[in-house]
Amino acid sequence: MSDTETTSTHAPGVPHPRRWAVLGLLGLAQLMLILDITVVAIALPHMGAELDLGRATLTWVVSGYALTFGSLMLLGGRAADLFGAKRVVLAGLVLFTAASLTAGLATGAPLLLAARVAQGAGAAMLSPAALSVVVRLFDGDERNRALGIWSALGGGGAALGVLLGGLITAGPGWAWVFFVNVPVGLVVLVSLARILPDLPRAGTGSLDVPGAVLVAAATGALIYALIRAGDHGWLDLVTVALFAVAAAAYAAFAVRQRRTAAPLMDLRLLGRRPVVAGTFVIAVTTALMVGTFFLGSFYLQNHQGHGALITGVLFLPVALLTMAAAAAAGRVIGRLGARLLGVASLAVAAAGFLVPVLWSGTTAMVTGVSVAAAGLGGLFVVASATALASVAPHEAGVTSGIVSTFHEFGAAAGAAAVSSAAATSIAAHTGARSASGFDDAFLVATGMATVSAVIVLWLIPAKHL
């Protein structure tokens, strides 16, 4: 890449003329990645019935994508630094689009799960590289606005995915939750190839492939242990061994990052209290939200007998309250502070999760999940603001990558944990009408939110924000 090309695309001190158009296209691509977590959740019962998939396999349809996405995101960010953000963005978009087509054409579990893993790998390349472009194209207040838009895609996109999943599944069928990515991906690909600038490479060295393998193996073992616990119990020997393997692999990853010259993650950032608090909040929030969508989808369709379209419509207030709460939290966090807002949001979420336990039926479920979603929407803002407020400008991209990684880890763990807690009800036939497993899972969610509120009260600095 020549100096002339670099100067013409993004001269120092001169805003890129197409920066907002680039943000719009990258935002659309990111929204597609986020949607693909929850849009699939509504289609799971239909997918399972048509392809004869069991509970554990259906859980991996969700967790396999989120796991691969989260595990490889640090590697994708490092690749963007070494090989150029534009190249990695386009390569990730090609892989994600091709994998989406393959998933829609799948006729059995092996091809479907392989396609979901490939989707996650493409997303892991695209998302951090796109965020690095946003950070480098915008400066000052404009950068804050751009990052605010980017952060809002998390909660709003996840909630919107449930509604779209219902509409698509009830219309053309479950395969189109994947097929719809193909035309969108191609349009974004062609447009970005034309207007995305070739920014200078931001790093030197090599990719830490062993580090990426370690963190992926650790998270894979953890998620498999959570899924297995639903069938064999939490004290099963293999389950306990998987938890031990996960802990050992995470420890090995930490040692590797301290010793390698080009680490995937700067562990010193995790020594900062606000960054730790932000990553904790985003992991808990995403786990609770994805878990709730997973539970709600099965409860409304398998237990209450609603179709996919009605289920998607019933989730509309959930989507609206999530986005409204996120917008409101962005306006009041400066006055209330992140700690108070975080504790209040978790208290609201815990109260919402308790409603389906105390009362049964569609109305109680939708009301409870909607209330919980209002709390979770505010928590997305708390997480981003807490983690990013105390870092220097040159650390914003790295810290955002860490937060995004824990976002995906939370998504994978949330689906696995609630699936295990509600295993008896999810596996039951529609006519069985057993809701005890759902009650157990929502009690687990209530407990998680309550305990997390206590942790947040201690973890987030009192005067932070």
Side-chain angles (χ1 to χ4, degrees):
M1 181 175 60
S2 67
D3 292 337
T4 302
E5 180 186 7
T6 303
T7 303
S8 63
T9 56
H10 189 46
V14 179
H16 193 278
R18 293 186 174 180
R19 62 194 181 282
W20 291 107
V22 170
L23 176 63
L25 289 169
L26 292 176
L28 180 58
Q30 176 71 3
L31 181 61
M32 186 168 58
L33 307 184
I34 300 298
L35 283 173
D36 230 59
I37 297 175
T38 53
V39 73
V40 173
I42 292 293
L44 288 178
H46 291 255
M47 206 179 297
E50 185 172 324
L51 301 182
D52 193 24
L53 306 178
R55 181 192 66 86
T57 302
L58 287 175
T59 302
W60 275 104
V61 172
V62 176
S63 295
Y65 172 74
L67 167 64
T68 311
F69 192 175
S71 299
L72 299 180
M73 197 178 303
L74 293 173
L75 185 65
R78 178 64 177 162
D81 288 341
L82 292 177
F83 307 125
K86 179 176 181 177
R87 185 178 299 175
V88 177
V89 164
L90 298 181
L93 193 53
V94 168
L95 178 57
F96 180 84
T97 304
S100 297
L101 178 61
T102 303
L105 295 173
T107 56
L111 185 58
L112 176 61
L113 293 180
R116 288 293 279 169
V117 169
Q119 277 187 307
M125 297 170 65
L126 172 57
S127 186
L131 181 57
S132 70
V133 172
V134 173
V135 171
R136 295 171 70 184
L137 284 187
F138 293 88
D139 295 304
D141 291 338
E142 279 197 346
R143 176 183 290 176
N144 293 333
R145 288 171 54 197
L147 289 176
I149 294 170
W150 192 267
S151 298
L153 296 174
L160 184 61
V162 180
L163 175 60
L164 292 179
L167 294 174
I168 293 172
T169 303
W174 67 263
W176 281 89
V177 301
F178 301 115
F179 286 150
V180 72
N181 293 330
V182 177
V184 176
L186 291 175
V187 169
V188 174
L189 177 66
V190 171
S191 301
L192 284 177
R194 292 179 58 250
I195 71 170
L196 189 62
D198 285 307
L199 299 172
R201 298 177 186 181
T204 57
S206 60
L207 289 174
D208 181 21
V209 176
V213 171
L214 280 172
V215 74
T219 308
L222 177 61
I223 300 306
Y224 184 41
L226 289 168
I227 295 173
R228 184 180 174 82
D231 294 321
H232 302 279
W234 293 92
L235 298 181
D236 172 73
L237 182 61
V238 176
T239 301
V240 173
L242 286 168
F243 280 121
V245 168
Y250 279 128
F253 172 73
V255 172
R256 167 85 187 174
Q257 297 313 287
R258 290 185 180 278
R259 294 181 177 177
T260 186
L264 287 176
M265 177 188 292
D266 185 355
L267 295 181
R268 291 174 297 179
L269 284 173
L270 294 180
R272 300 181 189 179
R273 189 171 171 183
V275 175
V276 173
T279 53
F280 171 78
V281 172
I282 197 66
V284 169
T285 303
T286 313
L288 290 173
M289 176 162 282
V290 172
T292 300
F293 292 158
F294 190 95
L295 285 175
S297 173
F298 275 97
Y299 181 87
L300 293 174
Q301 294 186 76
N302 284 13
H303 185 69
Q304 292 295 313
H306 298 297
L309 177 59
I310 296 300
T311 299
V313 172
L314 288 172
F315 267 98
L316 180 59
V318 178
L320 294 177
L321 279 171
T322 301
M323 292 183 281
R331 292 193 296 268
V332 304
I333 191 170
R335 297 195 299 272
L336 297 180
R339 184 167 76 166
L340 178 57
L341 183 59
V343 171
S345 297
L346 282 164
V348 170
F353 291 135
L354 201 56
V355 171
V357 178
L358 299 177
W359 296 277
S360 61
T362 299
T363 300
M365 171 64 71
V366 174
T367 300
V369 172
S370 297
V371 171
L376 297 176
L379 287 171
F380 280 105
V381 178
V382 171
S384 298
T386 302
L388 293 171
S390 62
V391 300
H394 69 277
E395 298 172 320
V398 175
T399 308
S400 297
I402 294 174
V403 172
S404 297
T405 298
F406 279 89
H407 179 285
E408 300 311 317
F409 285 175
V418 299
S419 173
S420 295
T424 56
S425 293
I426 291 176
H429 295 293
T430 304
R433 303 293 182 188
S434 172
S436 61
F438 292 111
D439 290 345
D440 292 342
F442 275 107
L443 280 175
V444 169
T446 302
M448 283 181 59
T450 303
V451 172
S452 297
V454 176
I455 295 175
V456 163
L457 184 62
W458 165 76
L459 189 58
I460 297 181
K463 296 182 178 180
H464 194 65
L465 295 183

